[in-house]
């Protein structure tokens, strides 16, 4: 419980650091995409939203799941790897396919409602970070825009996961378990359709 309560404080401190840095006069960094826009990217970009929902659902499904410092680290590491690959590697179609693949895997686990180990869950958080990071939008590749996009995506993602995992402590009622499995099935089906469309109409 203590680990769960520390995460919002960590997010708040990161946000204050960001505000302090961006409050300084930096005339060369005139951005059309603001921090708020980047903060919402994990939930407004469809390829990011699907795996985010799937991993959030599977985390909620686990009775002992916690959004602690290690989970936050794995998510942040995944975001860093994903965004670095997007900036420095030519991922082309791969960046679009990886996210729904994670959604298919996690959504399928939710649908079958099998308990998973903490290690597998942490790997899912890292994979989620990579999936989101490779699909983030950047105005340019300078360090400031890179850091802003990374921080915003981390805060947006960890907040959604925290709310999904901890709001109204996971219930044991049958309707709750069935509801989670149904939502997992829908995410699974949507992700399968996205993969099919991407493979049929490659950009």
């Amino acid at each position: 419980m203590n680990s769960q309560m520390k995460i919002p404080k960590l997010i708040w401190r990161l946000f204050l650091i960001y505000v302090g840095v961006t409050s300084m006069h930096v005339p060369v960094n005139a951005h059309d995409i603001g921090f708020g826009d980047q903060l919402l990217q994990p939930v407004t970009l469809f390829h990011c939203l699907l795996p985010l929902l799937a991993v959030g659902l599977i985390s909620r499904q686990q009775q002992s799941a916690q959004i602690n410092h290690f989970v936050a680290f794995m998510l942040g590491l995944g975001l860093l790897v994903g965004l670095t690959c997007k900036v420095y590697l030519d991922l082309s179609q791969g960046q679009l396919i990886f996210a729904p693949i994670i959604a298919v895997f996690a959504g399928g686990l939710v649908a079958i409602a099998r308990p998973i180990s903490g290690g597998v869950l942490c790997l899912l958080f890292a994979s989620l970070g990579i999936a989101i990071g490779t699909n983030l939008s950047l105005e340019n590749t300078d360090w400031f825009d890179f850091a802003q996009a990374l921080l915003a995506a981390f805060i947006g993602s960890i907040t959604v996961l925290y709310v999904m995992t901890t709001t109204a402590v996971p219930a044991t009622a049958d309707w709750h378990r069935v509801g989670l499995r149904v939502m997992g099935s829908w995410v699974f089906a949507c992700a399968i359709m996205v993969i099919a469309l991407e493979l049929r109409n490659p950009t």
Side-chain angles (χ1 to χ4, degrees):
M1 182 62 69
N2 290 334
S3 295
Q4 288 183 338
M5 296 304 293
K6 291 178 182 178
I7 291 299
K9 293 181 180 179
L10 174 63
I11 296 172
W12 180 244
R13 288 170 185 168
L14 289 172
F15 179 74
L16 289 179
I17 291 172
Y18 168 79
V19 171
V21 171
T22 55
S23 295
M24 296 185 296
H25 184 59
V26 188
V28 296
N29 287 294
H31 293 268
D32 293 326
I33 301 178
F35 183 75
D37 299 317
Q38 291 177 323
L39 187 70
L40 294 175
Q41 282 195 82
V43 295
T44 55
L45 297 176
F46 191 64
H47 282 79
C48 295
L49 180 60
L50 278 178
L52 181 62
L53 289 177
V55 174
L57 287 172
I58 201 170
S59 179
R60 168 116 182 144
Q61 203 172 43
Q62 310 306 307
Q63 295 296 321
S64 59
Q66 293 184 358
I67 304 299
N68 53 33
H69 289 87
F70 185 67
V71 166
F73 171 77
M74 295 299 288
L75 176 66
L77 180 62
L79 284 167
L80 177 60
V81 171
L83 191 56
T84 300
C85 289
K86 177 184 175 65
V87 172
Y88 296 106
L89 300 178
D90 182 15
L91 300 177
S92 62
Q93 195 70 6
Q95 68 187 71
L96 298 177
I97 292 295
F98 184 69
I101 287 175
I102 296 301
V104 166
F105 181 70
L109 289 176
V110 175
I112 63 177
R114 294 288 185 182
I116 62 174
S117 66
V120 173
L121 191 59
C122 285
L123 288 177
L124 279 174
F125 278 105
S127 299
L128 171 64
I130 295 173
I132 292 176
T134 54
N135 284 282
L136 293 176
S137 297
L138 294 173
E139 278 191 296
N140 51 65
T141 58
D142 65 32
W143 71 268
F144 184 85
D145 198 54
F146 185 96
Q148 175 174 278
L150 184 65
L151 178 59
F154 174 77
I155 295 176
S157 302
I158 200 73
T159 300
V160 171
L161 291 170
Y162 180 82
V163 171
M164 291 186 70
T165 303
T166 62
T167 301
V169 177
T172 56
D174 289 339
W175 67 267
H176 185 267
R177 293 196 297 268
V178 171
L180 288 175
R181 296 182 67 178
V182 169
M183 287 187 285
S185 300
W186 276 103
V187 172
F188 177 87
C190 288
I192 288 289
M193 289 189 288
V194 170
I195 292 174
L197 290 172
E198 293 291 347
L199 293 176
R200 183 177 179 179
N201 302 304
T203 55

